[in-house]
Amino acid sequence: MLRKSFLFLLLISLSLSAQELPPIQNFSPLDYNGENQNWAITQGEDKHIFIANNHSLLEYDGVRWRKYYSPNNSIIRSVHANGDLILTGQYMEFGFWQRNGFGELAYTSISSQMEFPMVEDEEFWNIVTLGNWVLFQSLDRIYSYNIKSKEFKWIEAKSIKAQIFK
């Protein structure tokens, strides 16, 4: 009886120690030197974390935080990593960030290359990639951009709000 009880306790202790929780670390706006509203999060191919934080794009490499200001000083609403590109959408603007020769992220506007105007007060809330196509979703439209051919297309929402998901 004592032997069975000992084996039972041993099995329980082994199973409990195997169910460890992953380490969780919380950060305050003071830690990352940003504002208190984060809108979206993604992880790049280099395993860095990128966060759409009000007026900046935050990058966390596991040790330190870097802050990249919005190209038009507006709220960055969406962020999505695709290969070595970090795509962002904000008020009346969308584009991508890519590392320059100094290892810092530099911004390239995609929306400024369009030959048709945006809807007034448009904000980009979601980004999805499908092959060479990147889709930027606002409330009224979905803009698609081919990274290879630089081709643009757009779809007007037939409902109250445009929505995309993968």
Side-chain angles (χ1 to χ4, degrees):
M1 179 75 170
L2 184 60
R3 189 172 194 201
K4 286 182 182 179
S5 296
F6 177 73
L7 286 174
F8 178 73
L9 289 174
L10 180 64
L11 288 173
I12 287 177
S13 67
L14 287 175
S15 67
L16 289 177
S17 66
Q19 295 182 6
E20 289 184 35
L21 294 174
I24 295 173
Q25 188 171 0
N26 293 315
F27 297 99
S28 76
L30 293 174
D31 295 326
Y32 54 77
N33 192 27
E35 295 189 36
N36 63 355
Q37 282 187 303
N38 296 311
W39 296 96
I41 186 167
T42 190
Q43 186 171 20
E45 66 178 5
D46 57 4
K47 305 298 182 208
H48 291 196
I49 302 294
F50 298 92
I51 300 167
N53 171 264
N54 271 6
H55 298 287
S56 62
L57 173 67
L58 300 175
E59 176 186 16
Y60 182 62
D61 64 7
V63 177
R64 66 178 181 188
W65 290 92
R66 286 187 180 169
K67 187 176 189 178
Y68 300 95
Y69 288 98
S70 168
N72 63 1
N73 294 318
S74 67
I75 297 173
I76 298 179
R77 299 284 190 190
S78 55
V79 62
H80 178 76
N82 184 39
D84 66 341
L85 302 179
I86 307 302
L87 302 144
T88 56
Q90 53 262 4
Y91 176 79
M92 300 297 287
E93 175 68 37
F94 57 85
F96 63 87
W97 304 78
Q98 195 169 30
R99 298 227 182 266
N100 61 21
F102 301 105
E104 296 178 349
L105 293 176
Y107 184 76
T108 300
S109 174
I110 296 173
S111 56
S112 66
Q113 301 169 30
M114 291 190 311
E115 295 178 1
F116 47 87
M118 286 187 199
V119 176
E120 185 179 341
D121 291 332
E122 209 160 21
E123 292 187 83
F124 295 91
W125 293 90
N126 195 6
I127 304 167
V128 173
T129 52
L130 298 167
N132 291 330
W133 289 93
V134 180
L135 298 112
F136 296 90
Q137 177 239 308
S138 72
L139 297 180
D140 299 311
R141 292 182 178 167
I142 297 172
Y143 295 85
S144 58
Y145 175 74
N146 189 301
I147 294 171
K148 299 291 184 200
S149 69
K150 312 287 189 235
E151 179 185 0
F152 278 102
K153 295 181 181 182
W154 60 272
I155 302 166
E156 195 81 33
K158 293 185 180 180
S159 63
I160 296 172
K161 179 181 167 188
Q163 183 64 22
I164 57 174
F165 57 92
K166 193 172 179 180

